[in-house]
PDB file of all heavy atoms in Angstrom:
ATOM      1  N   LYS A   2      62.905 104.525  80.256  1.00  0.00           N
ATOM      2  CA  LYS A   2      63.665 104.919  81.436  1.00  0.00           C
ATOM      3  C   LYS A   2      64.884 105.766  81.045  1.00  0.00           C
ATOM      4  O   LYS A   2      65.527 105.505  80.029  1.00  0.00           O
ATOM      5  CB  LYS A   2      64.110 103.670  82.189  1.00  0.00           C
ATOM      6  CG  LYS A   2      64.392 103.897  83.660  1.00  0.00           C
ATOM      7  CD  LYS A   2      64.534 102.594  84.405  1.00  0.00           C
ATOM      8  CE  LYS A   2      64.596 102.840  85.895  1.00  0.00           C
ATOM      9  NZ  LYS A   2      64.760 101.594  86.655  1.00  0.00           N
ATOM     10  N   LYS A   5      71.238 105.584  82.842  1.00  0.00           N
ATOM     11  CA  LYS A   5      71.751 105.491  84.221  1.00  0.00           C
ATOM     12  C   LYS A   5      72.814 106.545  84.472  1.00  0.00           C
ATOM     13  O   LYS A   5      73.698 106.782  83.645  1.00  0.00           O
ATOM     14  CB  LYS A   5      72.332 104.101  84.514  1.00  0.00           C
ATOM     15  CG  LYS A   5      72.852 103.948  85.917  1.00  0.00           C
ATOM     16  CD  LYS A   5      72.637 102.572  86.449  1.00  0.00           C
ATOM     17  CE  LYS A   5      73.011 102.478  87.912  1.00  0.00           C
ATOM     18  NZ  LYS A   5      72.613 101.195  88.522  1.00  0.00           N
ATOM     19  N   ILE A  21      98.075 103.566  72.636  1.00  0.00           N
ATOM     20  CA  ILE A  21      97.735 102.165  72.420  1.00  0.00           C
ATOM     21  C   ILE A  21      98.126 101.750  71.001  1.00  0.00           C
ATOM     22  O   ILE A  21      98.738 100.677  70.802  1.00  0.00           O
ATOM     23  CB  ILE A  21      96.216 101.930  72.629  1.00  0.00           C
ATOM     24  CG1 ILE A  21      95.872 102.163  74.124  1.00  0.00           C
ATOM     25  CG2 ILE A  21      95.805 100.544  72.227  1.00  0.00           C
ATOM     26  CD1 ILE A  21      94.385 102.219  74.420  1.00  0.00           C
ATOM     27  N   LEU A  33     105.738  95.155  79.676  1.00  0.00           N
ATOM     28  CA  LEU A  33     106.924  96.022  79.636  1.00  0.00           C
ATOM     29  C   LEU A  33     106.822  96.838  78.341  1.00  0.00           C
ATOM     30  O   LEU A  33     105.984  96.541  77.494  1.00  0.00           O
ATOM     31  CB  LEU A  33     108.231  95.222  79.670  1.00  0.00           C
ATOM     32  CG  LEU A  33     108.726  94.571  78.382  1.00  0.00           C
ATOM     33  CD1 LEU A  33     110.149  94.066  78.582  1.00  0.00           C
ATOM     34  CD2 LEU A  33     107.841  93.418  77.944  1.00  0.00           C
ATOM     35  N   PHE A  40     104.560 106.069  81.484  1.00  0.00           N
ATOM     36  CA  PHE A  40     103.528 106.257  82.501  1.00  0.00           C
ATOM     37  C   PHE A  40     104.141 106.470  83.867  1.00  0.00           C
ATOM     38  O   PHE A  40     103.769 107.386  84.620  1.00  0.00           O
ATOM     39  CB  PHE A  40     102.588 105.049  82.496  1.00  0.00           C
ATOM     40  CG  PHE A  40     101.384 105.180  83.380  1.00  0.00           C
ATOM     41  CD1 PHE A  40     100.682 106.358  83.488  1.00  0.00           C
ATOM     42  CD2 PHE A  40     100.940 104.055  84.110  1.00  0.00           C
ATOM     43  CE1 PHE A  40      99.543 106.459  84.302  1.00  0.00           C
ATOM     44  CE2 PHE A  40      99.813 104.147  84.897  1.00  0.00           C
ATOM     45  CZ  PHE A  40      99.111 105.344  85.003  1.00  0.00           C
ATOM     46  N   SER A  87      87.681  96.975 101.084  1.00  0.00           N
ATOM     47  CA  SER A  87      88.381  95.771 101.543  1.00  0.00           C
ATOM     48  C   SER A  87      89.784  95.618 100.940  1.00  0.00           C
ATOM     49  O   SER A  87      90.641  94.939 101.512  1.00  0.00           O
ATOM     50  CB  SER A  87      87.545  94.522 101.228  1.00  0.00           C
ATOM     51  OG  SER A  87      87.382  94.385  99.826  1.00  0.00           O
ATOM     52  N   MET A 112      91.741 107.850 109.466  1.00  0.00           N
ATOM     53  CA  MET A 112      92.284 107.231 110.678  1.00  0.00           C
ATOM     54  C   MET A 112      92.436 108.212 111.835  1.00  0.00           C
ATOM     55  O   MET A 112      92.994 109.294 111.674  1.00  0.00           O
ATOM     56  CB  MET A 112      93.646 106.607 110.339  1.00  0.00           C
ATOM     57  CG  MET A 112      94.354 105.947 111.500  1.00  0.00           C
ATOM     58  SD  MET A 112      95.905 105.174 110.995  1.00  0.00           S
ATOM     59  CE  MET A 112      95.318 103.606 110.328  1.00  0.00           C
ATOM     60  N   PRO A 143      92.590 114.027 102.170  1.00  0.00           N
ATOM     61  CA  PRO A 143      93.789 113.700 102.915  1.00  0.00           C
ATOM     62  C   PRO A 143      93.513 113.425 104.392  1.00  0.00           C
ATOM     63  O   PRO A 143      92.672 114.086 105.009  1.00  0.00           O
ATOM     64  CB  PRO A 143      94.663 114.955 102.756  1.00  0.00           C
ATOM     65  CG  PRO A 143      94.153 115.621 101.524  1.00  0.00           C
ATOM     66  CD  PRO A 143      92.672 115.348 101.506  1.00  0.00           C
ATOM     67  N   ALA A 164      96.633 105.830  98.907  1.00  0.00           N
ATOM     68  CA  ALA A 164      96.135 106.998  98.179  1.00  0.00           C
ATOM     69  C   ALA A 164      95.403 106.572  96.907  1.00  0.00           C
ATOM     70  O   ALA A 164      95.359 107.315  95.907  1.00  0.00           O
ATOM     71  CB  ALA A 164      97.297 107.939  97.837  1.00  0.00           C
ATOM     72  N   GLY A 198      92.277  98.520  84.472  1.00  0.00           N
ATOM     73  CA  GLY A 198      92.636  97.980  85.775  1.00  0.00           C
ATOM     74  C   GLY A 198      94.097  98.286  85.939  1.00  0.00           C
ATOM     75  O   GLY A 198      94.874  98.191  84.979  1.00  0.00           O
ATOM     76  N   GLY A 200      97.444  99.858  88.919  1.00  0.00           N
ATOM     77  CA  GLY A 200      97.829 100.603  90.087  1.00  0.00           C
ATOM     78  C   GLY A 200      99.290 100.945  90.045  1.00  0.00           C
ATOM     79  O   GLY A 200      99.984 100.665  89.036  1.00  0.00           O
ATOM     80  N   TRP A 327      81.665 103.291 102.834  1.00  0.00           N
ATOM     81  CA  TRP A 327      82.233 101.939 103.056  1.00  0.00           C
ATOM     82  C   TRP A 327      81.769 101.366 104.394  1.00  0.00           C
ATOM     83  O   TRP A 327      81.788 102.068 105.419  1.00  0.00           O
ATOM     84  CB  TRP A 327      83.752 102.003 103.070  1.00  0.00           C
ATOM     85  CG  TRP A 327      84.427 102.501 101.833  1.00  0.00           C
ATOM     86  CD1 TRP A 327      85.312 103.557 101.749  1.00  0.00           C
ATOM     87  CD2 TRP A 327      84.312 102.005 100.483  1.00  0.00           C
ATOM     88  NE1 TRP A 327      85.736 103.716 100.456  1.00  0.00           N
ATOM     89  CE2 TRP A 327      85.132 102.789  99.671  1.00  0.00           C
ATOM     90  CE3 TRP A 327      83.574 100.959  99.915  1.00  0.00           C
ATOM     91  CZ2 TRP A 327      85.260 102.562  98.288  1.00  0.00           C
ATOM     92  CZ3 TRP A 327      83.696 100.740  98.535  1.00  0.00           C
ATOM     93  CH2 TRP A 327      84.533 101.524  97.767  1.00  0.00           C
ATOM     94  N   VAL A 346      82.679 106.171 115.517  1.00  0.00           N
ATOM     95  CA  VAL A 346      82.661 107.152 114.419  1.00  0.00           C
ATOM     96  C   VAL A 346      82.466 106.465 113.080  1.00  0.00           C
ATOM     97  O   VAL A 346      81.584 106.840 112.293  1.00  0.00           O
ATOM     98  CB  VAL A 346      83.957 108.018 114.412  1.00  0.00           C
ATOM     99  CG1 VAL A 346      83.975 108.937 113.186  1.00  0.00           C
ATOM    100  CG2 VAL A 346      84.055 108.836 115.682  1.00  0.00           C
ATOM    101  N   GLY A 360      81.224 111.769  88.910  1.00  0.00           N
ATOM    102  CA  GLY A 360      82.091 111.647  87.753  1.00  0.00           C
ATOM    103  C   GLY A 360      82.429 112.956  87.082  1.00  0.00           C
ATOM    104  O   GLY A 360      81.637 113.907  87.059  1.00  0.00           O
TER     105      GLY A 360
END
Side-chain angles (χ1 to χ4, degrees):
K2 204 168 189 181
K5 180 145 187 171
I21 294 169
L33 79 169
F40 187 40
S87 63
M112 179 177 278
W327 301 124
V346 175

